[in-house]
Every structure is written in structure tokens, then in C-alpha cells.
Amino acid sequence: MLRTHHCNELNLQHLNQKVTLAAWVKTLRDKGKIIFVDIRDKFGITQLRAEEGKSPPEVIETMRKLGREFVVQVTGTVIERASKNPDLPTGEIEIEVEHIQILNPSKVPPFLIEDETDGGEDLRMRYRYLDLRRNTIRKNLELRHRIAQATRHYLDSQGFIEVETPMLIKSTPEGARDFLVPSRMNLGEFYALPQSPQTFKQLLMVSGFDRYFQIVKCFRDEDLRADRQPEFTQIDCEMSFVTQEDVLQMFEGLIRYLFQQIKGLELPAFPRMRYDDAMRLYGSDKPDTRFGMPFVELNELVKGKGFQVFDSAELVVGICAKGCAEYTRKQLDELTEFVKRPQIGAKGLVYVKCNADGTFKSSVDKFYTETDLQQWATKMQAEKGDLLLILSGETNKVRKQLCELRLEMGNRLGLRDKNQYSCLWIIDFPLLEYNEEDKRFYAMHHPFTSPKPEDLPLLDNESEYANIKANAYDMVINGVEVGGGSIRIYQRPLQEKMLSILGFSPEEAKAQFGFLMEAFEFGAPPHGGIAFGFDRLCSLFGGADTIRDFIAFPKNNAGRDVMINSPAPISQAQLDELGIRLVNKKA
Ligand code: ASP
């Protein structure tokens, strides 16, 4: 080794020992006669010291040549420091340098390599290897490593085996576009990168593997939304001979184990919420349940009093914000502006202040009496001092809008504490989802998800499609969908029927999924599984909003890696070899 110790190791117990350290220069302080240099490695910081007249002249000379991020190797003696730093494990000692060698100089780094950096996102991504030298980012990746290790430990202990599935496959629909890879050996044909290993893990169940998992890269060519990565990692799992209940137990176990191991937290059992209830009470299939503020529907109380907006609305629904009756005009205007933003799209916001003196003040006083408002307040379980916020319109839209407003109020009231965790299962998802634009049904989870057995007859009646429930479930933590899965179809006739409902002709179904359906004819066991978004899970454990800082080399919001500059054009020769002619070449 080029060192005897690392930079977080030495203390008063090592006094007078001769040591060798190798690390990066963090800070330099030239006090004239005495020079102090802090060196840093991934373990910590150690202070070096050299003094004119005392240290060898070549040491002084080299110390004066150093710059930030130079890599040095130093030999010296551990001595007690005059002014100690109680915040550092090495804060009581320093190294009296006897020999120093510059192993590699460094250009001036483009940003500060400190916990608080002055580097903007772009610069940090361009020099990601320097960004990763920062403690905060490196710690995120250490956390990621620990979560991966704990996951493997838990799943291994439960009899799961990790199996790698191929990356060059053909389309597995998870609702996004595929990334395609041209095949040189089969001109004009393409592989797809897996959106998930879904079909392969099901085939492993047909093979009798019983319990499979994989921490695996998945690829989805989606329009980029904030904090989405075109390639991301899943904890992908599948089990044979299980019911939904078995899967929920097993993976609630995994997440509780991770919280225990990583955060030292014992979580209570995860509540279950039906999809329909989640939509009705929170307007979302991933409600943030760190706080209450459930929706209260007001249709029967508000209609027929001459207020046209409510009279014509399909749904009038509100939330009660505790202790907010004192909101000023300005604050209420802000909330109105918030819901009117194009991304949210509400036409307006009705408020009712439940004043401390028992009176009410609302934005619809013209239409409603104090008695009316009192009824609303009672229904919404409001107390004196509370503020009712009410939206109206088409059911699905208004629920989405109120969901945003509820989260905003949660933020404003400080109810979304990053160090508090509220986990739950959303169950009983619809099997199919109607798309207004395409005028057809899509699988809400994916085409391999099994309908609830009792709903099977509804598959024969198109008008009932929207009412079919699936054995599909999501795990939600703090308003984030961290995982989702389902019990699968495992019989060919049902899979064929499902694909036909989804608009596949028998030929298309056979061409795309013939291999899976054929496998179902060779003794496929009942099976089901789940996949967790691993990057998201890591950011949640790390108390961060963004997944990017938990991925070593992420892509930016435009799907680019600005460090290696990818994607990039390829040469004409490569294109020719692949038989590809570009029609819309970028200028
Ligand atoms: N393959 C699914 C997904 O990526 C998860 C599953 O159904 O197990 O969401």
C-alpha cells in the first residue's frame, strides 16, 4: 500500500508514530513560517504541518507548490495539535511532515469539492467524477450499496435466487417506448432493451425456479419528466404458487427489513387502501399519507342554491386546512393562482373561513347562508379556526387538481417531513384504463396482469371493462410509488383474451408474445411478483427529492450524459454497416 493509514484514522493514541498517508489536498494555509495543509480521502481529513527552520527545506518547497486536489503522499510523525478541532476524529493531532511527494498535480477544479459546493447542476454533471469526490454524493452511493446488500441478504434468506436476464431482447410493454438496438448480423432487425425483465421472470417461474430476484437495469424511452432517467434500476422479483396476500407479506417484509437495517426504524404494518378509495379520498393512486386532510365530497349540500359553478359541476369536493382561517387575502390569492396554473388547470377556488368566533366568511357568501356553510363545515369536520378549500368540475379532473392543492397545503403547513415515513399498499387496481385520445383500453399495469377471478365474466362485456379489477398492487411511501406488481395470467386462453381486448390481432399477439403463451402450455404455475424502483427507494432513504444524486453517472433532463457527451452521432461507416439511412439528420 502507498499508505499506512487513511485520513480518518489517526488520533492521540498514535502520538509519535511515523505514518504515511496518501490523499488529495483539500485546503492550504500558508501562515508565513508555518504551512498547514488538510488532506482528504473518502474516510476523512488529516492536517499536515511543516515549519520553516524545522522541516526539511524541500518539504517546505513542495508544500508551497501544492494546489487544491493535488494527490500527495506524505510521511511524517503524529504530533499533538496546539488548537484542536473537536468536530474531527483526527482533530487532536497533526502530521509533522518529513517527506512529501506529489503523486499527481491537479488543475484547479471547476467547483468546490465540499459538502456545499458552488457548482451548478450542469458543471457538476460535466465533471461528475469530481462531484462524486464530494462527501455528500459519495455517501448517497454508499447508502445505495448498503440498501442493495441488505436487499440481497433478505431475499436470499427467503429463498430467492438472483438470475440475470438478457438486455438484448424484444419489446416488453410497460407502457413506454422501447430503446432499440440495430442488429448488424440481422440487417433491418432490431433488439429492444428491456423496459423490465417481466416476461423472462415469468418464464423462470415456468422453469420451476420458484423465487427469483434481480437488481437490474431497465430502459424506457419516455418523454422526459423531471427526475426520470431513461435507464434506471429495479429490484425485480417473482414468486410461484402465491396469492396476492403472500406477495404483499413478503415484500412488506423486505421494506420493513430495509428500514430496520438502514434507518434503525421499526415500521408498523402497512395499511391497505383500495384504489377507488385512494382516488376518492386523495385524488391519487399514490397518496402522501404522512398527513390527513382527506377529500370530502359536498355535492348534496351545495347544489340548488343558485351558484351556477357548483350546480353544473359533476363533483364538488374540498379539504379542510387546520388552523388556516387566518389566511390573508394575499395567501388566498396565492392558492387561487396555484390551482389556476396551466399544469393544474382549475378555473377557480372557493374558500370558507371558519372563524374563531363561530362565524363564517366565504368567497360564495352571495349564494350561501351561514347555516349552509355551517353544514359544510360539519361535514368536513372543521373546527373554529379552520379553512375549507373547495374545487368543482369533472370528477377525474377535479380530483387531480385537489390532490395538488392538498399536497401544496401539506408543504405550507410543514406536514411532509422527510424524516417521517408513511407506507401503504394500494390494492384492487382496475385491470384496464380507457384512453380518450386513442379510444381504446390499455392495461393499467401490464398485459400479463391477472383480473380478479370474480371479475372474469366481465371480460366478455365491453361495457364492463372499466369495472374489472386486477390482482395488482402498488407500494406507496410518502406519496411516492416505490413499487408495483401483480398476480399474473398463467394460462394461454386468458392471456390470448387479454391481448385481444388490448387490441392485438391473433397474429400480432402470437408474433410478440407467442413464446410466453406457448410456455404457458407447458405447465406454468400460478405466479406473481413485484418490482421496486431502486433509485427512488435510495433517494427516499436518503431523504432527498431527486434520484439523480443516488445514481453514479446519471443523465440530465434531456436524457444526455454531458460528461461523455452521449448520445452522439455515429460515423457513416457504422451506419452503412447497420444498413441505416438517416432521414432527419440533425444539422
Ligand atoms: N414489470 C413490472 C414493472 O416494471 C413490475 C411487475 O409487475 O413485477 O412495473
Side-chain angles (χ1 to χ4, degrees):
M1 290 287 286
L2 299 184
R3 62 183 183 214
T4 55
H5 296 81
H6 62 62
C7 288
N8 209 35
E9 227 175 330
L10 299 169
N11 53 46
L12 288 177
Q13 286 173 0
H14 302 87
L15 274 191
N16 303 321
Q17 278 186 27
K18 188 157 244 185
V19 297
T20 300
L21 301 177
W24 286 263
V25 171
K26 176 174 145 56
T27 40
L28 300 141
R29 272 161 297 141
D30 191 339
K31 302 260 175 188
K33 231 168 124 347
I34 308 181
I35 306 168
F36 293 107
V37 175
D38 283 350
I39 56 173
R40 157 189 18 81
D41 60 15
K42 81 167 218 176
F43 306 96
I45 296 168
T46 301
Q47 179 166 297
L48 311 180
R49 169 188 211 279
E51 190 172 342
E52 270 177 27
K54 216 164 148 203
S55 314
E58 65 278 9
V59 165
I60 301 284
E61 197 186 318
T62 309
M63 298 269 277
R64 290 225 157 97
K65 272 199 244 155
L66 298 178
R68 267 162 53 209
E69 304 309 320
F70 275 46
V71 186
V72 292
Q73 186 188 35
V74 192
T75 302
T77 306
V78 181
I79 58 170
E80 186 166 0
R81 259 199 227 188
S83 69
K84 302 198 170 42
N85 179 349
D87 297 333
L88 284 185
T90 61
E92 293 185 311
I93 57 100
E94 58 195 1
I95 311 296
E96 181 86 67
V97 182
E98 283 141 37
H99 178 76
I100 179 161
Q101 189 189 348
I102 296 174
L103 298 178
N104 210 348
S106 169
K107 293 212 275 186
V108 176
F111 49 82
L112 283 176
I113 305 197
E114 301 287 345
D115 291 359
E116 295 292 331
T117 180
D118 54 352
E121 179 83 7
D122 275 358
L123 209 53
R124 286 176 44 210
M125 289 303 143
R126 163 108 166 66
Y127 296 96
R128 182 62 162 175
Y129 47 90
L130 294 180
D131 199 28
L132 290 169
R133 211 179 268 172
R134 295 166 56 222
N135 271 326
T136 41
I137 305 292
R138 199 200 56 250
K139 282 200 177 123
N140 290 344
L141 289 161
E142 286 169 359
L143 174 73
R144 184 181 173 112
H145 165 76
R146 287 208 314 281
I147 300 174
Q149 294 305 312
T151 299
R152 290 200 162 95
H153 179 80
Y154 176 85
L155 291 174
D156 179 59
S157 77
Q158 298 294 325
F160 286 77
I161 71 159
E162 189 163 16
V163 181
E164 288 168 88
T165 53
M167 289 287 123
L168 296 175
I169 63 166
K170 79 182 189 186
S171 183
T172 297
E174 296 275 2
R177 266 189 211 95
D178 290 317
F179 278 102
L180 298 173
V181 180
S183 166
R184 182 183 55 80
M185 291 202 286
N186 304 276
L187 275 195
E189 297 187 319
F190 294 80
Y191 301 100
L193 300 180
Q195 293 187 32
S196 83
Q198 185 62 35
T199 49
F200 288 97
K201 66 173 170 174
Q202 293 193 236
L203 292 172
L204 289 171
M205 295 304 106
V206 180
S207 307
F209 276 55
D210 205 70
R211 292 181 177 186
Y212 139 97
F213 86 101
Q214 185 178 190
I215 299 185
V216 61
K217 272 289 169 70
C218 301
F219 305 84
R220 297 186 189 176
D221 188 4
E222 290 181 288
D223 291 335
L224 289 151
R225 274 184 262 155
D227 214 31
R228 282 262 174 137
Q229 291 282 317
E231 57 175 301
F232 59 97
T233 305
Q234 284 190 341
I235 306 170
D236 190 47
C237 312
E238 198 74 8
M239 307 169 77
S240 287
F241 301 113
V242 285
T243 61
Q244 168 170 303
E245 185 59 33
D246 300 317
V247 180
L248 299 190
Q249 295 282 351
M250 177 64 70
F251 291 99
E252 182 167 327
L254 168 66
I255 297 300
R256 297 181 69 198
Y257 177 76
L258 293 179
F259 270 99
Q260 232 172 41
Q261 294 296 309
I262 306 291
K263 307 219 60 114
L265 287 176
E266 288 294 338
L267 294 183
F270 297 5
R272 315 239 175 119
M273 193 184 293
R274 296 176 54 247
Y275 170 88
D276 288 345
D277 293 332
M279 297 309 286
R280 185 170 51 79
L281 293 171
Y282 300 100
S284 167
D285 59 2
K286 40 178 189 293
D288 185 345
T289 48
R290 276 173 295 184
F291 65 107
M293 223 187 273
F295 294 7
V296 181
E297 301 189 350
L298 295 169
N299 281 19
E300 72 275 25
L301 290 183
V302 301
K303 296 218 178 216
K305 305 277 170 133
F307 183 43
Q308 181 52 31
V309 176
F310 281 0
D311 285 348
S312 63
E314 192 184 354
L315 177 66
V316 180
V317 58
I319 49 176
C320 170
K322 287 270 149 227
C324 294
E326 306 272 298
Y327 265 32
T328 60
R329 179 81 254 161
K330 184 162 163 275
Q331 284 171 302
L332 292 166
D333 286 347
E334 271 170 21
L335 292 180
T336 308
E337 286 314 310
F338 175 84
V339 296
K340 281 169 120 177
R341 294 187 328 192
Q343 310 91 295
I344 298 186
K347 297 224 169 57
L349 172 68
V350 167
Y351 70 83
V352 181
K353 290 177 165 186
C354 308
N355 294 324
D357 63 5
T359 62
F360 295 91
K361 169 84 193 99
S362 84
S363 53
V364 286
D365 281 349
K366 254 196 276 174
F367 301 97
Y368 299 96
T369 62
E370 288 260 323
T371 321
D372 293 329
L373 299 179
Q374 174 67 65
Q375 281 180 349
W376 302 7
T378 307
K379 174 120 199 233
M380 295 178 74
Q381 301 191 346
E383 294 166 310
K384 290 174 187 165
D386 293 349
L387 174 70
L388 312 182
L389 298 167
I390 301 164
L391 293 177
S392 63
E394 215 179 286
T395 301
N396 290 339
K397 282 192 187 151
V398 79
R399 281 179 174 164
K400 274 204 192 100
Q401 294 160 354
L402 192 60
C403 168
E404 296 295 336
L405 181 61
R406 173 179 172 271
L407 293 175
E408 170 68 15
M409 291 310 295
N411 285 337
R412 284 177 182 243
L413 296 173
L415 301 173
R416 303 180 74 192
D417 177 358
K418 283 204 175 65
N419 296 313
Q420 223 189 309
Y421 295 91
S422 176
C423 312
L424 76 159
W425 289 104
I426 305 292
I427 55 170
D428 298 352
F429 273 86
L431 181 72
L432 299 161
E433 187 175 32
Y434 190 70
N435 182 297
E436 291 289 346
E437 267 168 43
D438 303 352
K439 304 259 173 285
R440 50 161 280 206
F441 282 93
Y442 284 90
M444 189 140 185
H445 187 48
H446 53 51
F448 316 109
T449 294
S450 161
K452 290 222 180 257
E454 60 271 26
D455 287 352
L456 280 172
L458 306 184
L459 288 174
D460 295 320
N461 183 352
E462 197 174 335
S463 64
E464 293 285 358
Y465 283 177
N467 297 325
I468 306 174
K469 295 285 191 247
N471 270 326
Y473 32 80
D474 276 354
M475 186 187 286
V476 174
I477 306 183
N478 292 359
V480 175
E481 180 205 319
V482 294
S486 60
I487 297 299
R488 325 298 183 187
I489 296 168
Y490 64 99
Q491 289 152 324
R492 177 162 194 145
L494 184 54
Q495 189 64 71
E496 277 175 345
K497 192 172 205 165
M498 185 66 189
L499 290 171
S500 118
I501 288 173
L502 295 172
F504 287 81
S505 70
E507 295 73 39
E508 286 167 343
K510 193 160 172 243
Q512 227 182 321
F513 302 114
F515 67 96
L516 183 67
M517 291 194 288
E518 190 176 22
F520 287 172
E521 295 176 298
F522 287 99
H527 59 285
I530 193 166
F532 291 92
F534 185 58
D535 311 291
R536 178 89 42 225
L537 208 57
C538 293
S539 73
L540 205 75
F541 274 86
D545 296 320
T546 156
I547 62 172
R548 225 174 288 167
D549 284 344
F550 293 81
I551 298 173
F553 298 105
K555 311 258 183 301
N556 73 7
N557 269 345
R560 301 198 68 86
D561 182 324
V562 293
M563 181 183 66
I564 61 171
N565 196 17
S566 146
I570 58 172
S571 72
Q572 191 58 49
Q574 277 175 304
L575 285 171
D576 291 345
E577 206 171 36
L578 297 167
I580 294 177
R581 193 163 55 85
L582 296 181
V583 278
N584 278 325
K585 212 169 175 179
K586 238 172 138 187

